[in-house]
Amino acid sequence: MKRLLLIFTLAISSLFAMAHELSSPNGKMKLLVELLNGTPTYQLHLNEKAIIKQSKLGLELANNQSLMNGFTITDVQTSSVNDTWKPVWGEQSEIKNNYNELALTLQQKSTNIKILLRFRVFDDGLGFRYEFPEQENLVYFVVKEECTEFAMAGDHKAWWIPGDYDTQEYDYTTSKLSEIRGLMEKAVTPNASQTPISATAVQTALMMKTDDGYYINLHEAALQDYSCMHLELDDKNMVFKSVLTPDAVGNMAYMQTPCTTPWRTVIASKNAGDILLSNITLNLNEPCAYETTDWIKPVKYIGVWWEMITGKSSWAYTDEVLSVKLGETDFTQTTTNGRHAANTQHVKDYIDFASAHDFDAVLVEGWNEGWEDWFGKSKDFVFDFVTPYPDFDVELLRDYAKSKNVKLMMHHETSGSVRNYERHMDTAYQFMAENNYNSVKSGYVGDIIPRGEYHYGQWMVNHYLHAIKKAADYKIMVNAHEAVRPTGLSRTYPNLIGNESARGTEYEAFGGNNVDHTTILPFTRLVGGPMDYTPGIFETKVSAYNPDNNSQVRTTIARQLALYVTMYSPLQMAADLPETYKKHLDAFQFIKDVAIDWDKSLVLEAEPGDFITYARKAKNSENWFIGRTNDDQERTSEISFDFLLTDKKYIATVYADAKDAHWETNPKAYEIKKYVVTNKSQLKQACVPGGGYAISLVPVEDKVELKGLKKL
């Protein structure tokens, strides 16, 4: 009997020590997890091709406590999920969540500490995380370093920005992995707050392409109560290792069991469009946390913003005050500088324009006291978020906007003083609720207060989520700028309707973005969630607004229209000035027509850094919209309309570059043509450097509408 018990025990021990395999539901993605001399490792293959070579997992804790080795497997659990869920808003009205799961419980012999490694394998990738169950030997602990590895199978082509604890506002660099070190110094361009990490550290979502044509994306999902992850490359061995954002004393995360880390994600496919359409990031987040969501609605807006960004107008009310003290400085005793844009009459003009063209809201920046000395002073009590300048009548504008069926969008710039924002937050949100503001653009420009904290550390990650949850108490939607990059939390907290967290349109007035920028962002930044990119710039010569600013927006008008489709967001701004749109109302019509919430999204063409063509069906409608963004090369787009209903004819309005258009020399040259299309139609459309096109497709209700139109 003892011999039989010994054999049984050895068999169980052998089972838990062996490699554990898990395949995706379609069998093409395969995960292998095993202990290598007591250290957990994993590998990932797609179609028998190595996506992630054998890579180590583990963490280093404070007090020289290592959770890197000495483990045995004490439990193995597998399960499968195949269901669907409906997002409050999104690129699809219904999302499939289908994966196979492997959960391994590890126990460290020397400490008896237990860790659970949870892996979920989808048809298009992998998510995994560390889980720490409640246990006697690990209750409170401090993470000094997370040692997750992503070992690459080659010197891949990559689209990357420098690893930085404070900003993502960089242009993308395209290079081989081995070239990152040599290009890093040039890639780190100035920013209001920045802390570059090292010569080979880059940020997620990181997009790569192998020599044999596989696309790989590395990111994270469900970032809560933990610090943001970057990736540092060992460029001799082509192995990425996770680098967390430290706090003011150098620690990465303070944990209390039971707890988990965010998910680490790998999305992979032979088709670039699959990366764009992947829902792994959303699926790894928890379902919606709110009982009711009828107050959360997509927003199309204009704003008193671009004129300040270009230097035409000012956020500040006066030039006479050098030092503002909240509650003490009396602005009624000063003279306005004449350039303050957030004045009552000017905002009324914006409201009139928004109402005339059926926009939902008007953003107003610079309405509140404190802009005279807001930036770069490490100032704690910088704004109170409720006190307007003398020329901004809150109640009058509230009532006027309401009479025009337009909402005003609040602006809360913190100037990095997060402690100040939290002390005023309830009052600020209550002020919004009382004055018919249901959405807020928040900002975190500059270094963080408390001093020493970084934008992407655990303390700030917790703050951003606190602001979202607190806003929900007042039924307010949040669009956070300079915040940590999104990781799919909008599934759980759908009032997070937008983020900046990347180099947006504003940089077009600060010297310009690379021409290929918008052909990369959907593969990188947008993998985590929508971006408030603020497209719609028709006047590309910034000097037309400010003679002292010679920047040029590197785009054609046709591509600006396309961005409303290719740069997905439920929050879309027509960023240019009303006076400019009035000169191009024919092109502006597309911005008015395009949907901002979708039933279905398709990728018709895509290659990161070169071009992207999306087709999207408007929610609860048979209307479709197509957008194509092009890099700095002249290209021809070839698409089919086979996604349309078989028994319907559509009128296609095509907004395209004119033959002689060019982002630099002739950006305003566009053509608008109408065709009749069916699901058998095809289109070949020339795209100039920095150009693209946009198409609206509307089902024909009356044959009279077809008169005189050419069939495509």
Side-chain angles (χ1 to χ4, degrees), residues 90-119:
E91 297 178 82
Q92 315 277 352
S93 59
E94 190 171 85
I95 292 176
K96 184 177 181 180
N97 186 25
N98 186 17
Y99 62 83
N100 293 328
E101 181 176 283
L102 171 67
L104 299 178
T105 300
L106 310 181
Q107 184 164 352
Q108 193 175 49
K109 294 178 182 178
S110 60
T111 63
N112 284 328
I113 289 175
K114 290 184 178 181
I115 300 178
L116 189 148
L117 296 177
R118 191 177 303 277
F119 299 87

mmCIF file of all heavy atoms in Angstrom, residues 90-119:
data_model
loop_
_atom_site.group_PDB
_atom_site.id
_atom_site.type_symbol
_atom_site.label_atom_id
_atom_site.label_comp_id
_atom_site.label_asym_id
_atom_site.label_seq_id
_atom_site.Cartn_x
_atom_site.Cartn_y
_atom_site.Cartn_z
ATOM 1 N N GLY A 90 -19.200 51.989 -28.697
ATOM 2 C CA GLY A 90 -18.025 51.283 -29.171
ATOM 3 C C GLY A 90 -17.950 51.134 -30.676
ATOM 4 O O GLY A 90 -18.782 51.650 -31.423
ATOM 5 N N GLU A 91 -16.943 50.384 -31.104
ATOM 6 C CA GLU A 91 -16.729 50.124 -32.521
ATOM 7 C C GLU A 91 -17.626 49.004 -33.027
ATOM 8 O O GLU A 91 -17.810 48.841 -34.233
ATOM 9 C CB GLU A 91 -15.264 49.766 -32.773
ATOM 10 C CG GLU A 91 -14.306 50.891 -32.440
ATOM 11 C CD GLU A 91 -12.856 50.509 -32.657
ATOM 12 O OE1 GLU A 91 -12.397 50.581 -33.819
ATOM 13 O OE2 GLU A 91 -12.200 50.137 -31.667
ATOM 14 N N GLN A 92 -18.165 48.207 -32.101
ATOM 15 C CA GLN A 92 -19.107 47.140 -32.414
ATOM 16 C C GLN A 92 -20.240 47.230 -31.400
ATOM 17 O O GLN A 92 -20.022 47.576 -30.234
ATOM 18 C CB GLN A 92 -18.441 45.759 -32.291
ATOM 19 C CG GLN A 92 -17.068 45.636 -32.905
ATOM 20 C CD GLN A 92 -17.114 45.366 -34.399
ATOM 21 O OE1 GLN A 92 -18.171 45.133 -34.961
ATOM 22 N NE2 GLN A 92 -15.957 45.396 -35.042
ATOM 23 N N SER A 93 -21.447 46.903 -31.822
ATOM 24 C CA SER A 93 -22.569 46.927 -30.875
ATOM 25 C C SER A 93 -22.603 45.674 -30.008
ATOM 26 O O SER A 93 -23.257 45.647 -28.968
ATOM 27 C CB SER A 93 -23.895 47.067 -31.623
ATOM 28 O OG SER A 93 -24.071 46.000 -32.534
ATOM 29 N N GLU A 94 -21.875 44.645 -30.445
ATOM 30 C CA GLU A 94 -21.793 43.401 -29.677
ATOM 31 C C GLU A 94 -20.380 42.849 -29.806
ATOM 32 O O GLU A 94 -19.817 42.829 -30.903
ATOM 33 C CB GLU A 94 -22.815 42.398 -30.199
ATOM 34 C CG GLU A 94 -22.982 41.165 -29.322
ATOM 35 C CD GLU A 94 -24.156 40.307 -29.763
ATOM 36 O OE1 GLU A 94 -23.953 39.483 -30.677
ATOM 37 O OE2 GLU A 94 -25.260 40.465 -29.210
ATOM 38 N N ILE A 95 -19.808 42.404 -28.696
ATOM 39 C CA ILE A 95 -18.419 41.932 -28.689
ATOM 40 C C ILE A 95 -18.366 40.487 -28.219
ATOM 41 O O ILE A 95 -18.936 40.121 -27.184
ATOM 42 C CB ILE A 95 -17.548 42.825 -27.773
ATOM 43 C CG1 ILE A 95 -17.410 44.224 -28.398
ATOM 44 C CG2 ILE A 95 -16.172 42.196 -27.544
ATOM 45 C CD1 ILE A 95 -16.655 45.215 -27.536
ATOM 46 N N LYS A 96 -17.683 39.673 -28.996
ATOM 47 C CA LYS A 96 -17.508 38.270 -28.657
ATOM 48 C C LYS A 96 -16.327 38.111 -27.709
ATOM 49 O O LYS A 96 -15.269 38.700 -27.921
ATOM 50 C CB LYS A 96 -17.266 37.449 -29.930
ATOM 51 C CG LYS A 96 -17.166 35.951 -29.702
ATOM 52 C CD LYS A 96 -16.994 35.221 -31.034
ATOM 53 C CE LYS A 96 -16.916 33.717 -30.829
ATOM 54 N NZ LYS A 96 -16.759 32.989 -32.120
ATOM 55 N N ASN A 97 -16.529 37.320 -26.663
ATOM 56 C CA ASN A 97 -15.477 37.037 -25.688
ATOM 57 C C ASN A 97 -15.291 35.521 -25.626
ATOM 58 O O ASN A 97 -16.056 34.809 -24.990
ATOM 59 C CB ASN A 97 -15.866 37.589 -24.312
ATOM 60 C CG ASN A 97 -14.752 37.441 -23.290
ATOM 61 O OD1 ASN A 97 -13.582 37.364 -23.641
ATOM 62 N ND2 ASN A 97 -15.114 37.412 -22.017
ATOM 63 N N ASN A 98 -14.272 35.031 -26.321
ATOM 64 C CA ASN A 98 -14.083 33.589 -26.477
ATOM 65 C C ASN A 98 -12.624 33.245 -26.210
ATOM 66 O O ASN A 98 -11.733 33.693 -26.949
ATOM 67 C CB ASN A 98 -14.485 33.172 -27.898
ATOM 68 C CG ASN A 98 -14.466 31.660 -28.093
ATOM 69 O OD1 ASN A 98 -14.465 30.893 -27.123
ATOM 70 N ND2 ASN A 98 -14.458 31.226 -29.330
ATOM 71 N N TYR A 99 -12.372 32.480 -25.152
ATOM 72 C CA TYR A 99 -11.000 32.118 -24.808
ATOM 73 C C TYR A 99 -10.972 30.809 -24.034
ATOM 74 O O TYR A 99 -11.977 30.359 -23.482
ATOM 75 C CB TYR A 99 -10.342 33.228 -23.972
ATOM 76 C CG TYR A 99 -11.016 33.505 -22.644
ATOM 77 C CD1 TYR A 99 -10.750 32.727 -21.509
ATOM 78 C CD2 TYR A 99 -11.916 34.561 -22.519
ATOM 79 C CE1 TYR A 99 -11.372 32.984 -20.299
ATOM 80 C CE2 TYR A 99 -12.540 34.828 -21.303
ATOM 81 C CZ TYR A 99 -12.264 34.040 -20.205
ATOM 82 O OH TYR A 99 -12.888 34.295 -19.007
ATOM 83 N N ASN A 100 -9.786 30.217 -24.003
ATOM 84 C CA ASN A 100 -9.493 29.094 -23.116
ATOM 85 C C ASN A 100 -8.540 29.571 -22.035
ATOM 86 O O ASN A 100 -7.620 30.355 -22.314
ATOM 87 C CB ASN A 100 -8.884 27.931 -23.901
ATOM 88 C CG ASN A 100 -9.876 27.307 -24.868
ATOM 89 O OD1 ASN A 100 -11.076 27.279 -24.598
ATOM 90 N ND2 ASN A 100 -9.386 26.814 -26.000
ATOM 91 N N GLU A 101 -8.759 29.104 -20.805
ATOM 92 C CA GLU A 101 -8.003 29.624 -19.660
ATOM 93 C C GLU A 101 -7.226 28.518 -18.956
ATOM 94 O O GLU A 101 -7.701 27.388 -18.822
ATOM 95 C CB GLU A 101 -8.953 30.295 -18.666
ATOM 96 C CG GLU A 101 -8.241 30.880 -17.452
ATOM 97 C CD GLU A 101 -9.191 31.628 -16.535
ATOM 98 O OE1 GLU A 101 -9.553 32.773 -16.876
ATOM 99 O OE2 GLU A 101 -9.575 31.063 -15.485
ATOM 100 N N LEU A 102 -6.030 28.888 -18.515
ATOM 101 C CA LEU A 102 -5.181 28.026 -17.696
ATOM 102 C C LEU A 102 -4.800 28.797 -16.441
ATOM 103 O O LEU A 102 -4.272 29.914 -16.533
ATOM 104 C CB LEU A 102 -3.919 27.631 -18.474
ATOM 105 C CG LEU A 102 -2.812 26.901 -17.705
ATOM 106 C CD1 LEU A 102 -3.279 25.512 -17.279
ATOM 107 C CD2 LEU A 102 -1.545 26.801 -18.573
ATOM 108 N N ALA A 103 -5.066 28.243 -15.281
ATOM 109 C CA ALA A 103 -4.716 28.872 -14.004
ATOM 110 C C ALA A 103 -3.796 27.926 -13.235
ATOM 111 O O ALA A 103 -4.197 26.826 -12.854
ATOM 112 C CB ALA A 103 -5.966 29.184 -13.198
ATOM 113 N N LEU A 104 -2.562 28.369 -13.024
ATOM 114 C CA LEU A 104 -1.566 27.570 -12.312
ATOM 115 C C LEU A 104 -1.292 28.197 -10.949
ATOM 116 O O LEU A 104 -0.944 29.378 -10.863
ATOM 117 C CB LEU A 104 -0.255 27.513 -13.103
ATOM 118 C CG LEU A 104 -0.288 26.893 -14.501
ATOM 119 C CD1 LEU A 104 1.095 26.974 -15.131
ATOM 120 C CD2 LEU A 104 -0.754 25.455 -14.436
ATOM 121 N N THR A 105 -1.447 27.424 -9.917
ATOM 122 C CA THR A 105 -1.072 27.887 -8.585
ATOM 123 C C THR A 105 0.350 27.428 -8.290
ATOM 124 O O THR A 105 0.656 26.232 -8.370
ATOM 125 C CB THR A 105 -2.030 27.351 -7.513
ATOM 126 O OG1 THR A 105 -3.354 27.806 -7.795
ATOM 127 C CG2 THR A 105 -1.616 27.844 -6.125
ATOM 128 N N LEU A 106 1.218 28.391 -7.972
ATOM 129 C CA LEU A 106 2.619 28.105 -7.670
ATOM 130 C C LEU A 106 2.875 28.344 -6.187
ATOM 131 O O LEU A 106 2.334 29.290 -5.603
ATOM 132 C CB LEU A 106 3.542 29.012 -8.487
ATOM 133 C CG LEU A 106 3.308 29.111 -9.997
ATOM 134 C CD1 LEU A 106 4.343 30.043 -10.617
ATOM 135 C CD2 LEU A 106 3.368 27.745 -10.650
ATOM 136 N N GLN A 107 3.718 27.511 -5.603
ATOM 137 C CA GLN A 107 4.107 27.705 -4.212
ATOM 138 C C GLN A 107 5.624 27.705 -4.120
ATOM 139 O O GLN A 107 6.294 26.824 -4.659
ATOM 140 C CB GLN A 107 3.532 26.619 -3.308
ATOM 141 C CG GLN A 107 3.835 26.860 -1.826
ATOM 142 C CD GLN A 107 2.943 26.020 -0.925
ATOM 143 O OE1 GLN A 107 2.005 25.372 -1.384
ATOM 144 N NE2 GLN A 107 3.231 26.036 0.371
ATOM 145 N N GLN A 108 6.144 28.736 -3.455
ATOM 146 C CA GLN A 108 7.593 28.855 -3.278
ATOM 147 C C GLN A 108 8.009 28.062 -2.041
ATOM 148 O O GLN A 108 7.502 28.307 -0.935
ATOM 149 C CB GLN A 108 7.990 30.326 -3.148
ATOM 150 C CG GLN A 108 9.482 30.591 -3.265
ATOM 151 C CD GLN A 108 9.776 32.083 -3.243
ATOM 152 O OE1 GLN A 108 9.284 32.804 -2.381
ATOM 153 N NE2 GLN A 108 10.593 32.540 -4.191
ATOM 154 N N LYS A 109 8.891 27.116 -2.224
ATOM 155 C CA LYS A 109 9.255 26.204 -1.135
ATOM 156 C C LYS A 109 9.814 26.937 0.075
ATOM 157 O O LYS A 109 9.478 26.634 1.223
ATOM 158 C CB LYS A 109 10.283 25.183 -1.637
ATOM 159 C CG LYS A 109 9.763 24.225 -2.700
ATOM 160 C CD LYS A 109 10.863 23.281 -3.162
ATOM 161 C CE LYS A 109 10.389 22.350 -4.260
ATOM 162 N NZ LYS A 109 11.478 21.449 -4.741
ATOM 163 N N SER A 110 10.681 27.917 -0.146
ATOM 164 C CA SER A 110 11.390 28.555 0.967
ATOM 165 C C SER A 110 10.509 29.459 1.812
ATOM 166 O O SER A 110 10.810 29.716 2.983
ATOM 167 C CB SER A 110 12.582 29.357 0.431
ATOM 168 O OG SER A 110 12.129 30.368 -0.458
ATOM 169 N N THR A 111 9.413 29.991 1.221
ATOM 170 C CA THR A 111 8.571 30.962 1.936
ATOM 171 C C THR A 111 7.127 30.509 2.111
ATOM 172 O O THR A 111 6.382 31.124 2.884
ATOM 173 C CB THR A 111 8.552 32.304 1.179
ATOM 174 O OG1 THR A 111 7.942 32.089 -0.111
ATOM 175 C CG2 THR A 111 9.951 32.863 1.000
ATOM 176 N N ASN A 112 6.727 29.455 1.373
ATOM 177 C CA ASN A 112 5.333 29.004 1.315
ATOM 178 C C ASN A 112 4.390 30.049 0.703
ATOM 179 O O ASN A 112 3.169 29.959 0.855
ATOM 180 C CB ASN A 112 4.814 28.598 2.705
ATOM 181 C CG ASN A 112 5.356 27.238 3.123
ATOM 182 O OD1 ASN A 112 5.582 26.362 2.284
ATOM 183 N ND2 ASN A 112 5.582 27.066 4.423
ATOM 184 N N ILE A 113 4.957 31.063 0.037
ATOM 185 C CA ILE A 113 4.128 32.060 -0.654
ATOM 186 C C ILE A 113 3.508 31.431 -1.897
ATOM 187 O O ILE A 113 4.161 30.706 -2.644
ATOM 188 C CB ILE A 113 4.968 33.295 -1.036
ATOM 189 C CG1 ILE A 113 5.332 34.084 0.226
ATOM 190 C CG2 ILE A 113 4.214 34.190 -2.019
ATOM 191 C CD1 ILE A 113 6.256 35.255 -0.038
ATOM 192 N N LYS A 114 2.232 31.746 -2.113
ATOM 193 C CA LYS A 114 1.517 31.240 -3.276
ATOM 194 C C LYS A 114 1.232 32.368 -4.276
ATOM 195 O O LYS A 114 0.848 33.476 -3.883
ATOM 196 C CB LYS A 114 0.196 30.592 -2.859
ATOM 197 C CG LYS A 114 0.358 29.286 -2.101
ATOM 198 C CD LYS A 114 -0.994 28.660 -1.799
ATOM 199 C CE LYS A 114 -0.834 27.329 -1.069
ATOM 200 N NZ LYS A 114 -2.147 26.697 -0.778
ATOM 201 N N ILE A 115 1.428 32.069 -5.541
ATOM 202 C CA ILE A 115 1.050 32.963 -6.635
ATOM 203 C C ILE A 115 0.221 32.153 -7.620
ATOM 204 O O ILE A 115 0.544 31.002 -7.913
ATOM 205 C CB ILE A 115 2.280 33.530 -7.377
ATOM 206 C CG1 ILE A 115 3.168 34.336 -6.443
ATOM 207 C CG2 ILE A 115 1.837 34.396 -8.550
ATOM 208 C CD1 ILE A 115 4.414 34.873 -7.125
ATOM 209 N N LEU A 116 -0.828 32.764 -8.127
ATOM 210 C CA LEU A 116 -1.589 32.127 -9.192
ATOM 211 C C LEU A 116 -1.296 32.856 -10.501
ATOM 212 O O LEU A 116 -1.432 34.080 -10.580
ATOM 213 C CB LEU A 116 -3.087 32.165 -8.893
ATOM 214 C CG LEU A 116 -3.982 31.338 -9.821
ATOM 215 C CD1 LEU A 116 -5.197 30.795 -9.077
ATOM 216 C CD2 LEU A 116 -4.446 32.133 -11.030
ATOM 217 N N LEU A 117 -0.856 32.125 -11.505
ATOM 218 C CA LEU A 117 -0.658 32.671 -12.850
ATOM 219 C C LEU A 117 -1.869 32.309 -13.689
ATOM 220 O O LEU A 117 -2.164 31.123 -13.881
ATOM 221 C CB LEU A 117 0.610 32.109 -13.490
ATOM 222 C CG LEU A 117 1.935 32.460 -12.821
ATOM 223 C CD1 LEU A 117 3.085 31.752 -13.536
ATOM 224 C CD2 LEU A 117 2.167 33.965 -12.833
ATOM 225 N N ARG A 118 -2.573 33.334 -14.183
ATOM 226 C CA ARG A 118 -3.771 33.087 -14.986
ATOM 227 C C ARG A 118 -3.502 33.496 -16.432
ATOM 228 O O ARG A 118 -3.090 34.641 -16.704
ATOM 229 C CB ARG A 118 -4.969 33.862 -14.435
ATOM 230 C CG ARG A 118 -6.302 33.429 -15.067
ATOM 231 C CD ARG A 118 -7.484 34.182 -14.442
ATOM 232 N NE ARG A 118 -7.572 34.004 -13.004
ATOM 233 C CZ ARG A 118 -8.136 32.965 -12.395
ATOM 234 N NH1 ARG A 118 -8.643 31.970 -13.124
ATOM 235 N NH2 ARG A 118 -8.185 32.892 -11.079
ATOM 236 N N PHE A 119 -3.724 32.567 -17.354
ATOM 237 C CA PHE A 119 -3.508 32.787 -18.786
ATOM 238 C C PHE A 119 -4.832 32.612 -19.523
ATOM 239 O O PHE A 119 -5.562 31.645 -19.279
ATOM 240 C CB PHE A 119 -2.502 31.783 -19.353
ATOM 241 C CG PHE A 119 -1.136 31.846 -18.740
ATOM 242 C CD1 PHE A 119 -0.840 31.124 -17.583
ATOM 243 C CD2 PHE A 119 -0.127 32.620 -19.313
ATOM 244 C CE1 PHE A 119 0.418 31.170 -17.012
ATOM 245 C CE2 PHE A 119 1.136 32.671 -18.745
ATOM 246 C CZ PHE A 119 1.415 31.947 -17.591
#
